[in-house]
Amino acid sequence: MLKQGLIFSRLHLAAVSLCILFSVSVSVADAVTGAGVDELEKLSIEELLQVEVLKVYGASRYEQKALEAPANVTVITADTIRQFGYRTLAEVLQGTTGLYVSNDRNYQYLGYRGFSRPGDYNTRVLVMIDGVRLNDAVFHQAPIGFDFPLDLRLVERIEVIRGPSQAIYGNNAFLLVVNVLTRPIPQTRQFEADLYQDTRVLTMGGISGGGTLPNGTGLLLSGSLFHTPGSNLYFPAYDDPATNNGNAQHADYANGGSLFMKAQHGRLSLLGGYLSSRKGIPTAAWGSTFNDNSTRTIDERYFGDLSCQLISGATADLKLRGYLNAYNYSGYYAPQYHDYSRALTVGSELVGHVRLPWRNTLVAGVDYRYGAIVRQGDNDGYYDNRNGSNVGLFAQNEFRLLDNLLLMAGLRYDQFAGNLSSLNPKAAVVYLPYQGLALKYLFGTSFRSPNAYEAQYQGSSYRINPSLKEETLYSHELVLEYQYEERLRLVLSGFQYDYRDMISQTVDSNGLFVYENSERYRTRGVETELSYRGRGWSALLGHTYQHTYGLLGSAHATVNSPRNLMKLRLSRELAGPRLVLTGELLYRSAVQTLDPAVTIGEATIVNLTLSSRDLIAKGLDASVSIHNLLDRRDYHPGAAEHLPIAQIPQDGLTVAARLTYRF
Amino acid sequence: MNCTVWSNICCILCSILFVVSPVVAQPRQAVEYDLKAVFILNFARFVELPRDTGNVYTVCYAGGEQVRTALGGLRGKLVRTKPVEVRECTTAEEVRSANLVFISASERRLGRELLAAVRDKAVLTIAEHEGFRAQGGMIQLVPVHNRIGFKVNLAAIRGAGLRVHPQLLKLAQEVEE
């Protein structure tokens, strides 16, 4: 304890001296912050062209002001990602109010307002890149860790749309939607090389290039690689000489790479991506041999989208798109078990919005998806291959009854394979009593059909449940949002979520995993987010208090359901935007694991990043990050496949450096 | 959590905010119409009128509350030594006496009439909606992802006898000759 304290105080000193060191050498930049007319006037037109307008797209599928959007939306910009040293989408989301991530050292799972049950995949979150769905056809899993197929350097902004958005996006938009928008194709030729290294020997690198060809086609290409041998981890549950005294050595490795391309010619745009990643599993999951580093999963994803903007304008637009999304999984579990899945979905979508008379804005679309390959199997002889289609029709109308009163109603009908269908309404009232103040009431329902894995998987130690049906969510949310000149934003939200017939993994009397519609929960909570942008600094404080309880004897309501979540993000410009110091504090209260005897205590993780842009040399970005500055020992609850390991250790203090050169 | 850790955390985070010396920074985000208002001011400065008559530079607009507030901020600013005067316009008469007219997206129907009223007159016309340049409008503000850009109808500007600074054309998304 004493030693820990000593290390901590050294770090503490180091951090403070770092601040002081940089504060001495800074010069006062010549421009001004804030963005009133007087301040903007001092900028040249070139600089004005670089100023962002804060709007959101994903809430209603057309660009609208965040304040008026019929949703509770958070936008994370490329600058925030760079300045806070985020390496994965999971880290970006972890820093977002109301969200938390559980890492079982194989995949990462997103929790939202107290809901993240170990054993569930990311099936209740829809993750998209430029509108292309990434949730696959077998597991419906949304990738957020190293399996996310896009280098974060290519992100322009990320929109997190809280609450169900099923009425526009269909299946998987059950709890929230994460819409990742890639950066625009540069007008003139631009290249970028990036290198990252940290003390856990994680190495990442990437190159990208883009520009406009002589025929007017814009093109952006990128490739990235990552590699880490992983940490050596200690698991008390295996502390026995026969299992290397509980030490899993070289079993936590990860490596892989991704490619991304985006092209635009006139109204046509094409994008595509590919990812291959390999992850060692150090937890002896699924009864595999402990400390055998041949236990691993291999993920391969590719996606593509060809879209044509048939009509474009402020008053109407219409977009036709065709897309494909594929996910191949292979799992190898020592000594000799192997299972796999293959999924390929092709789809087409026609979506548009139009401003109608009497101040109505209508968004409508039709979405057709065909699961061309939905295959699962293992080396014990299990094999299942099927296909199926899903048609969705949706319409949403926003009616501006008064200058300051908006009414929104939407409805989506989905027809799934296996004669499942769903009708999901959504409604919102947005009232703007004063300039900058909005009161919103949001209502939505969500429906999630069981994925192929839950409904059909019959591999080793699994039993299928032929009567498995869909699960539903009813949500009510009241939001008060206040915004003052883009400087101050306050969001207060009260919510109630009713989860019905939740598809839950249970273990039957023969010890086999089986999915049942067995759980019913209610979550009530309050969320607050306050952000302020001052001269040269900004701060964000987010807090979520929630209480989830099981109805009708549901058992797992409190597992991995922290009552309190807090996020504090601070950012300070030391030499204008060229040198920025950021600090992030993530607090999570205690959580219950699947083992009733094991509760994980509260955790506070502090991360610091110092990043420079164009400071050392023009085009050169350099940053240094300290992740988990306090070196707190944290654990995340694991699913049943990891038992007897109920809590999975997380990374301690990590120092990272990153260099990016743009030319 | 014990209070020593909390105090240490607070200390580190506060040091980020307060140990460092105060500096000023460049704005990177703005309210949409504040930003558009400043673009409009720049257009006024970069497009010269043939006869600089009158003591003030009159900006006339058709738009809602947000436009009124944002353009109101231009009042008193200088365009080639003349202070800017801002007023709302609803009739063709009012527009003809202006130096610059801005039509917001919500007023495109009225905009068509206003535009017709100043056709070939030395009035700089700016709007946001699609089809504006095809109707003979001069500068259209367009969304470029999360930012704002502009497209120029050079033929219309020249047709009205106005002179535009080449630098403005260089920065435009599109220039129609």
Side-chain angles (χ1 to χ4, degrees), chain A residues 130-263:
Chain A
D130 285 335
V132 185
R133 300 167 61 91
L134 294 182
N135 297 62
D136 65 277
V138 172
F139 300 99
H140 291 183
Q141 162 92 340
I144 58 169
F146 281 117
D147 52 342
F148 179 67
L150 183 77
D151 190 325
L152 285 194
R153 285 181 302 117
L154 300 169
V155 171
E156 170 83 355
R157 70 185 202 266
I158 298 172
E159 298 176 357
V160 177
I161 302 141
R162 293 182 180 81
S165 288
Q166 187 120 8
I168 352 190
Y169 289 109
N171 213 13
N172 306 119
F174 190 86
L175 281 176
L176 76 158
V177 173
V178 176
N179 191 17
V180 177
L181 296 148
T182 59
R183 66 159 86 139
I185 297 168
Q187 293 285 325
T188 53
R189 205 182 300 167
Q190 255 179 39
F191 294 93
E192 191 176 294
D194 175 65
L195 194 64
Y196 169 96
Q197 178 71 53
D198 70 25
T199 52
R200 289 189 182 264
V201 213
L202 168 62
T203 308
M204 298 194 285
I207 48 167
S208 60
T212 309
L213 302 176
N215 67 355
T217 305
L219 192 64
L220 180 70
L221 295 168
S222 172
S224 312
L225 291 169
F226 67 91
H227 172 85
T228 173
S231 319
N232 290 332
L233 298 161
Y234 169 67
F235 297 96
Y238 287 94
D239 195 347
D240 185 276
T243 47
N244 198 28
N245 299 314
N247 292 303
Q249 286 175 309
H250 310 297
D252 184 40
Y253 55 90
N255 50 54
S258 65
L259 295 169
F260 179 75
M261 69 85 64
K262 183 172 168 178

Side-chain angles (χ1 to χ4, degrees), chain A residues 1 8 12 15-16 19-20 23 26-29 31-38 40-41 43 45-55 63 65 68 77 79 83 156-157 182 184 187 262 312-315 435 485-486 533 535-538 566 568 570-577 581-585 587 602 604 606 608 629-630 632, chain B residues 1-2 4-43 45-46 64-66 69-75 77-78 105-106 108-109 128-131 140 142-151 167-168 170-173:
Chain A
M1 190 64 205
F8 171 72
H12 177 180
V16 175
C19 301
I20 297 169
S23 69
V26 295
S27 62
V28 175
V32 280
T33 192
V37 166
D38 290 342
L40 289 167
E41 190 200 347
L43 302 185
I45 300 187
E46 287 94 330
E47 288 165 331
L48 286 174
L49 291 167
Q50 296 307 316
V51 177
E52 282 179 15
V53 176
L54 205 68
K55 282 183 173 183
E63 294 221 326
K65 290 189 189 69
E68 293 182 3
T77 63
D79 278 346
Q83 289 167 356
E156 170 83 355
R157 70 185 202 266
T182 59
Q187 293 285 325
K262 183 172 168 178
S312 88
T315 51
Q435 191 177 5
E485 289 185 352
E486 304 290 333
R533 185 179 284 273
R535 283 176 178 261
W537 66 279
S538 67
M566 196 178 86
L568 175 63
L570 297 172
S571 156
R572 189 78 173 92
E573 295 182 350
L574 305 180
L581 181 67
T582 63
E584 176 183 53
L585 183 148
Y587 170 78
E602 59 187 3
T604 305
V606 176
L608 281 183
L629 175 75
L630 309 180
R632 305 295 291 177
Chain B
M1 202 181 317
N2 65 47
T4 335
V5 175
W6 267 116
S7 66
N8 281 326
I9 291 167
C10 294
C11 184
I12 289 168
L13 294 170
C14 290
S15 65
I16 294 175
L17 281 181
F18 303 113
V19 173
V20 294
S21 62
V23 286
V24 270
Q26 206 153 1
R28 288 181 306 279
Q29 290 184 322
V31 177
E32 182 184 352
Y33 281 101
D34 280 352
L35 185 56
K36 286 183 173 173
V38 179
F39 267 107
I40 291 166
L41 181 67
N42 275 282
F43 297 151
R45 288 171 177 166
F46 279 89
E65 184 55 42
Q66 292 167 328
T69 313
L71 287 183
L74 299 186
R75 213 161 263 136
K77 305 230 176 269
L78 297 181
S106 60
R108 56 195 301 230
R109 198 171 294 175
E128 306 172 281
H129 55 273
E130 280 299 315
Q140 183 195 350
V142 290
V144 181
H145 280 266
N146 220 14
R147 303 182 170 88
I148 301 214
F150 58 92
K151 295 180 178 179
Q167 198 196 339
L168 194 67
K170 221 185 284 172
L171 296 169
Q173 294 280 314

